[in-house]
Amino acid sequence: LRVQNKLEAVIDKHMRSIDAAKVSLSSITTEQLWKQSGRFSANSELFRLNDRRKSGFLLSPTHEEEITEIVGGAIKSYKDLPVRLYQVTRKYRDERRPRGGLLRGKEFLMKDLYTFDYSQKDALKTYKAVRQAYTNIFNELKIDYIVADADSGNMGGKLSHEYHYIHPNGEDKLWSCDSCTYVANEELAEHKIEGKKDWKYRMVLEGVSTDHSTRIELHISVPSPENYTKDDYGKLINEHAVKKVAENLGIDFATGLNYSTLQEALKKATRTVKIYDGALPEAASQAASGDITQIQDGDGCPKCSEGKLHSVPGIEVGHTFHLGTRYSEPLNAVVATEDNNSKVPVQMGCHGIGVSRLIGAAAACLHDSKGLNWPRAIAPFEAIIVPTPDIPEADIHQVYDKLQSAGIDVVLDDRADKGVGWKLKDADLIGYPVIMVLGRGWKDAKTVEIQCRRLGFKKEVNAETFTSEVEELLEQL
Amino acid sequence: LRVQNKLEAVIDKHMRSIDAAKVSLSSITTEQLWKQSGRFSANSELFRLNDRRKSGFLLSPTHEEEITEIVGGAIKSYKDLPVRLYQVTRKYRDERRPRGGLLRGKEFLMKDLYTFDYSQKDALKTYKAVRQAYTNIFNELKIDYIVADADSGNMGGKLSHEYHYIHPNGEDKLWSCDSCTYVANEELAEHKIEGKKDWKYRMVLEGVSTDHSTRIELHISVPSPENYTKDDYGKLINEHAVKKVAENLGIDFATGLNYSTLQEALKKATRTVKIYDGALPEAASQAASGDITQIQDGDGCPKCSEGKLHSVPGIEVGHTFHLGTRYSEPLNAVVATEDNNSKVPVQMGCHGIGVSRLIGAAAACLHDSKGLNWPRAIAPFEAIIVPTPDIPEADIHQVYDKLQSAGIDVVLDDRADKGVGWKLKDADLIGYPVIMVLGRGWKDAKTVEIQCRRLGFKKEVNAETFTSEVEELLEQL
């Protein structure tokens, strides 16, 4: 709970820096708003419940609907913008695969910031400010992180970035360049199209036009080694990329048609569309082409000339997202324009940090065989004092007071029923950044033994300098 | 949210004073523990939900089950006690009558402290310490409150106290003595039995023995004015008191039998039990008697000789409760005894403060026609500075800095698009304890106008003394 509170304090500080005000919305919300936004469906991860009058409620996994409704009711004119509101509250998802303790649970703590702007230009400014605040937050935590482009950065599209900690427990696969700063999530990553290849593999996908009027047969052609079988296509084709190409052609895969209905429909297919991977000779003369093969380790980077792509597993701990009018339009959050002649839906953004997940990820990334290792910014205490039983209480308090008045968040292990060995193991297990032992050294020469497992530091320091020595260690953690 | 955070900080301070550690339990809990404790029933106020695997969950209204399970798994010996754990988290109840905004909602914020002791004697010490902490919390809030005995104080029974704010919106009816300190909730209040009365009213209630084997006809006799009809019995009889007398005789009213089943059963009633009110002559010779009439305004106090009882409406904002082994027994939270020969269930207590309800109640109790009036301890800010547009920014900051360095939590209303009149009304509406106007007085003679609506205070104060003047006002609020 102390770690959580410290993390929340770090977030609060940086949210204040971009003039975001803190709110707290209820976890129970009505179905109605979610129906209006189109996110209430039978197949979702929503936890639903009824009250005694059979009214439908749900446990909010996020609060776009609720906050859009509230802000939409409170703003009238472009002059009322920008508005930036955030909260740190419990969220709920009926997860298919809850796992990894805090990494993915049915109940979790999330920071969600919602931004409201008048124009796309203003929204872009806000987006940049949020990105900077996120950089500051993640830098302060001093845990290595990578930021993945979640799209090309076209403001009309889905401007979005993901913040990941790199760890084998991560469920996300990221492709990262070994030469430049390019990093992207598996779904969105591109690779350099190198040379023309004439061997090919053809697959047929079944789609439907966006307006559901026409059945479409998609013939997908990608380069393929000779020995690939039909069952291997999943390893060759990047379905997300195919979907993007198809979307641009007005073809929809997310129709929810079941297999037999689709088979029936496909018999009367009226259109066939061919999509070629960019590495095939046909691609040059076809509109329907793109980078649609999956990336393999060692593929060329799409951004620089010499880099190669390698995959790393990531735990997503943060996400920034420009929403545009995705929610303001259906929920009618509009403002009067400058000329007062019309009303326009506001430009929104939503920006999350998985608070409980980040705690689990930090524990996963920094622990070793002896225990946890908390970064200074979110450690339950920055330092712990472990005295041997023969040290006078006044001396212990002298050391404690000196550290505390230097602004160090210190705790004293004064449990009478435990030995020093047990206490040191316990301190390692809990993962305090700095451990200070008051023992023989103190009795002989008024020195304190300072330990810092993460930096491999162990030293007897005299009473004059131990405070600055501790501070120096903490600055690196 | 600032009010809520301040209230939580007050609670934290006093919980620390009794060595209670703060925790945070999940809001979702499994049905299983509630079945084990016997609190999972078809007619309850529990919000229930299922996950995608159809496992049964509920949204916890309180956490006795969860915390007993956790602590029971962590303690082994009497040496591990006492343990005192509390949290401030969202709770859920499928309320029959949600009302009064924060006063009674489906989702609410509650502080719940759980205490674990080895012996009844230790538990009584804990109970006293908690009572003292509650006294300190409610005194610090400086809102008039009354403490109602929720039982006779017999430690074997249900030692319990309720903390109420007096307000017409209150749903509780309290009987309070105009001479001594006696206060009790309607359900539990007693009154002096004065003289013998021979006129009587007889009512028949239908019960069943606790083991459901025998139908019982209860003949209730109470003093009654001649003109009372059968329909008036509800005004005469204190059903809670009757239930208590009946319970001692092994008779159960909470069987959930429907009326026709009960009628059928009553035809073969095998026992008749007569209960007499203490004011009737028969009472003296009958075991089955008690103070079973409802209290009327002006009835004699049961505790002192001259006092009369009067009713006041109360909003319950706190509750202390000795639980004994109510949860530790069914959930098997036991410790080894001192002689290490046996294991005994731990002695528990639970102690709540309705955090969101208290905020609503404070608003209800202290507001006037101009707006809210927050007590200093939980005001969003203790003071607000409202400058007129012609005051130099440096002067404003000088006043602000002086207050802040004196430890006063002050806010500056620097909204450029609002006038001074609007700002003063807004400050009254929000209910800051002290308003400071920097206007003509400052320009002419460097004086600040200090306003305190609740104390009817308005005065020009010079730059040397305004900080101590504000502090003096705040000390009264």
Side-chain angles (χ1 to χ4, degrees), chain A residues 64-78:
Chain A
E64 282 84 359
E65 283 80 357
E66 200 95 20
I67 200 106
T68 306
E69 173 82 358
I70 292 169
V71 172
I75 56 173
K76 284 175 185 162
S77 152
Y78 73 97

PDB file of all heavy atoms in Angstrom, chain A residues 64-78:
ATOM      1  N   GLU A  64     -14.350   6.444 -20.277  1.00  0.00           N
ATOM      2  CA  GLU A  64     -14.581   7.391 -21.368  1.00  0.00           C
ATOM      3  C   GLU A  64     -16.042   7.864 -21.409  1.00  0.00           C
ATOM      4  O   GLU A  64     -16.311   9.057 -21.529  1.00  0.00           O
ATOM      5  CB  GLU A  64     -14.224   6.766 -22.734  1.00  0.00           C
ATOM      6  CG  GLU A  64     -12.747   6.705 -23.050  1.00  0.00           C
ATOM      7  CD  GLU A  64     -12.094   5.472 -22.441  1.00  0.00           C
ATOM      8  OE1 GLU A  64     -12.790   4.692 -21.759  1.00  0.00           O
ATOM      9  OE2 GLU A  64     -10.864   5.320 -22.626  1.00  0.00           O
ATOM     10  N   GLU A  65     -16.969   6.922 -21.325  1.00  0.00           N
ATOM     11  CA  GLU A  65     -18.391   7.266 -21.432  1.00  0.00           C
ATOM     12  C   GLU A  65     -18.814   8.213 -20.313  1.00  0.00           C
ATOM     13  O   GLU A  65     -19.428   9.255 -20.539  1.00  0.00           O
ATOM     14  CB  GLU A  65     -19.254   5.988 -21.387  1.00  0.00           C
ATOM     15  CG  GLU A  65     -19.279   5.183 -22.677  1.00  0.00           C
ATOM     16  CD  GLU A  65     -18.061   4.299 -22.881  1.00  0.00           C
ATOM     17  OE1 GLU A  65     -17.140   4.349 -22.033  1.00  0.00           O
ATOM     18  OE2 GLU A  65     -18.009   3.573 -23.890  1.00  0.00           O
ATOM     19  N   GLU A  66     -18.482   7.810 -19.086  1.00  0.00           N
ATOM     20  CA  GLU A  66     -18.909   8.552 -17.900  1.00  0.00           C
ATOM     21  C   GLU A  66     -18.343   9.980 -17.922  1.00  0.00           C
ATOM     22  O   GLU A  66     -19.065  10.952 -17.696  1.00  0.00           O
ATOM     23  CB  GLU A  66     -18.390   7.806 -16.660  1.00  0.00           C
ATOM     24  CG  GLU A  66     -19.110   8.142 -15.388  1.00  0.00           C
ATOM     25  CD  GLU A  66     -20.226   7.157 -15.091  1.00  0.00           C
ATOM     26  OE1 GLU A  66     -20.184   6.047 -15.636  1.00  0.00           O
ATOM     27  OE2 GLU A  66     -21.141   7.518 -14.329  1.00  0.00           O
ATOM     28  N   ILE A  67     -17.058  10.108 -18.201  1.00  0.00           N
ATOM     29  CA  ILE A  67     -16.424  11.425 -18.130  1.00  0.00           C
ATOM     30  C   ILE A  67     -16.890  12.308 -19.288  1.00  0.00           C
ATOM     31  O   ILE A  67     -17.035  13.520 -19.128  1.00  0.00           O
ATOM     32  CB  ILE A  67     -14.878  11.292 -18.088  1.00  0.00           C
ATOM     33  CG1 ILE A  67     -14.240  12.567 -17.519  1.00  0.00           C
ATOM     34  CG2 ILE A  67     -14.280  11.001 -19.447  1.00  0.00           C
ATOM     35  CD1 ILE A  67     -13.719  12.429 -16.150  1.00  0.00           C
ATOM     36  N   THR A  68     -17.142  11.696 -20.450  1.00  0.00           N
ATOM     37  CA  THR A  68     -17.615  12.473 -21.590  1.00  0.00           C
ATOM     38  C   THR A  68     -18.994  13.042 -21.291  1.00  0.00           C
ATOM     39  O   THR A  68     -19.299  14.203 -21.599  1.00  0.00           O
ATOM     40  CB  THR A  68     -17.659  11.596 -22.870  1.00  0.00           C
ATOM     41  OG1 THR A  68     -16.376  10.995 -23.056  1.00  0.00           O
ATOM     42  CG2 THR A  68     -18.005  12.426 -24.084  1.00  0.00           C
ATOM     43  N   GLU A  69     -19.825  12.224 -20.646  1.00  0.00           N
ATOM     44  CA  GLU A  69     -21.167  12.663 -20.253  1.00  0.00           C
ATOM     45  C   GLU A  69     -21.076  13.826 -19.244  1.00  0.00           C
ATOM     46  O   GLU A  69     -21.769  14.837 -19.379  1.00  0.00           O
ATOM     47  CB  GLU A  69     -21.908  11.465 -19.626  1.00  0.00           C
ATOM     48  CG  GLU A  69     -23.247  11.779 -19.012  1.00  0.00           C
ATOM     49  CD  GLU A  69     -24.359  11.834 -20.039  1.00  0.00           C
ATOM     50  OE1 GLU A  69     -24.071  11.657 -21.236  1.00  0.00           O
ATOM     51  OE2 GLU A  69     -25.516  12.074 -19.632  1.00  0.00           O
ATOM     52  N   ILE A  70     -20.203  13.691 -18.262  1.00  0.00           N
ATOM     53  CA  ILE A  70     -20.075  14.719 -17.212  1.00  0.00           C
ATOM     54  C   ILE A  70     -19.523  16.019 -17.796  1.00  0.00           C
ATOM     55  O   ILE A  70     -20.092  17.092 -17.609  1.00  0.00           O
ATOM     56  CB  ILE A  70     -19.167  14.218 -16.065  1.00  0.00           C
ATOM     57  CG1 ILE A  70     -19.844  13.067 -15.313  1.00  0.00           C
ATOM     58  CG2 ILE A  70     -18.825  15.359 -15.107  1.00  0.00           C
ATOM     59  CD1 ILE A  70     -18.930  12.338 -14.340  1.00  0.00           C
ATOM     60  N   VAL A  71     -18.411  15.900 -18.527  1.00  0.00           N
ATOM     61  CA  VAL A  71     -17.783  17.106 -19.082  1.00  0.00           C
ATOM     62  C   VAL A  71     -18.699  17.731 -20.138  1.00  0.00           C
ATOM     63  O   VAL A  71     -18.865  18.953 -20.181  1.00  0.00           O
ATOM     64  CB  VAL A  71     -16.380  16.780 -19.660  1.00  0.00           C
ATOM     65  CG1 VAL A  71     -15.809  17.973 -20.418  1.00  0.00           C
ATOM     66  CG2 VAL A  71     -15.442  16.382 -18.522  1.00  0.00           C
ATOM     67  N   GLY A  72     -19.322  16.892 -20.960  1.00  0.00           N
ATOM     68  CA  GLY A  72     -20.242  17.393 -21.984  1.00  0.00           C
ATOM     69  C   GLY A  72     -21.362  18.237 -21.373  1.00  0.00           C
ATOM     70  O   GLY A  72     -21.818  19.224 -21.967  1.00  0.00           O
ATOM     71  N   GLY A  73     -21.798  17.863 -20.167  1.00  0.00           N
ATOM     72  CA  GLY A  73     -22.851  18.616 -19.496  1.00  0.00           C
ATOM     73  C   GLY A  73     -22.357  19.893 -18.844  1.00  0.00           C
ATOM     74  O   GLY A  73     -23.156  20.772 -18.499  1.00  0.00           O
ATOM     75  N   ALA A  74     -21.041  20.009 -18.688  1.00  0.00           N
ATOM     76  CA  ALA A  74     -20.484  21.151 -17.946  1.00  0.00           C
ATOM     77  C   ALA A  74     -19.894  22.232 -18.846  1.00  0.00           C
ATOM     78  O   ALA A  74     -19.717  23.367 -18.420  1.00  0.00           O
ATOM     79  CB  ALA A  74     -19.416  20.663 -16.962  1.00  0.00           C
ATOM     80  N   ILE A  75     -19.588  21.886 -20.098  1.00  0.00           N
ATOM     81  CA  ILE A  75     -18.966  22.865 -20.991  1.00  0.00           C
ATOM     82  C   ILE A  75     -19.974  23.342 -22.033  1.00  0.00           C
ATOM     83  O   ILE A  75     -20.853  22.597 -22.452  1.00  0.00           O
ATOM     84  CB  ILE A  75     -17.713  22.283 -21.707  1.00  0.00           C
ATOM     85  CG1 ILE A  75     -18.076  20.994 -22.461  1.00  0.00           C
ATOM     86  CG2 ILE A  75     -16.598  22.037 -20.720  1.00  0.00           C
ATOM     87  CD1 ILE A  75     -16.966  20.446 -23.309  1.00  0.00           C
ATOM     88  N   LYS A  76     -19.821  24.605 -22.411  1.00  0.00           N
ATOM     89  CA  LYS A  76     -20.740  25.156 -23.401  1.00  0.00           C
ATOM     90  C   LYS A  76     -20.005  25.724 -24.598  1.00  0.00           C
ATOM     91  O   LYS A  76     -20.425  25.587 -25.732  1.00  0.00           O
ATOM     92  CB  LYS A  76     -21.569  26.276 -22.755  1.00  0.00           C
ATOM     93  CG  LYS A  76     -22.657  25.727 -21.852  1.00  0.00           C
ATOM     94  CD  LYS A  76     -23.396  26.828 -21.133  1.00  0.00           C
ATOM     95  CE  LYS A  76     -24.389  26.227 -20.157  1.00  0.00           C
ATOM     96  NZ  LYS A  76     -24.828  27.182 -19.149  1.00  0.00           N
ATOM     97  N   SER A  77     -18.903  26.407 -24.305  1.00  0.00           N
ATOM     98  CA  SER A  77     -18.220  27.153 -25.350  1.00  0.00           C
ATOM     99  C   SER A  77     -16.786  26.684 -25.489  1.00  0.00           C
ATOM    100  O   SER A  77     -16.221  26.073 -24.577  1.00  0.00           O
ATOM    101  CB  SER A  77     -18.253  28.634 -24.967  1.00  0.00           C
ATOM    102  OG  SER A  77     -17.152  29.329 -25.513  1.00  0.00           O
ATOM    103  N   TYR A  78     -16.184  26.973 -26.629  1.00  0.00           N
ATOM    104  CA  TYR A  78     -14.763  26.674 -26.850  1.00  0.00           C
ATOM    105  C   TYR A  78     -13.915  27.314 -25.763  1.00  0.00           C
ATOM    106  O   TYR A  78     -12.808  26.876 -25.474  1.00  0.00           O
ATOM    107  CB  TYR A  78     -14.336  27.150 -28.240  1.00  0.00           C
ATOM    108  CG  TYR A  78     -14.201  28.649 -28.366  1.00  0.00           C
ATOM    109  CD1 TYR A  78     -12.945  29.264 -28.247  1.00  0.00           C
ATOM    110  CD2 TYR A  78     -15.313  29.470 -28.566  1.00  0.00           C
ATOM    111  CE1 TYR A  78     -12.819  30.646 -28.333  1.00  0.00           C
ATOM    112  CE2 TYR A  78     -15.202  30.829 -28.641  1.00  0.00           C
ATOM    113  CZ  TYR A  78     -13.950  31.424 -28.529  1.00  0.00           C
ATOM    114  OH  TYR A  78     -13.822  32.791 -28.599  1.00  0.00           O
TER     115      TYR A  78
END
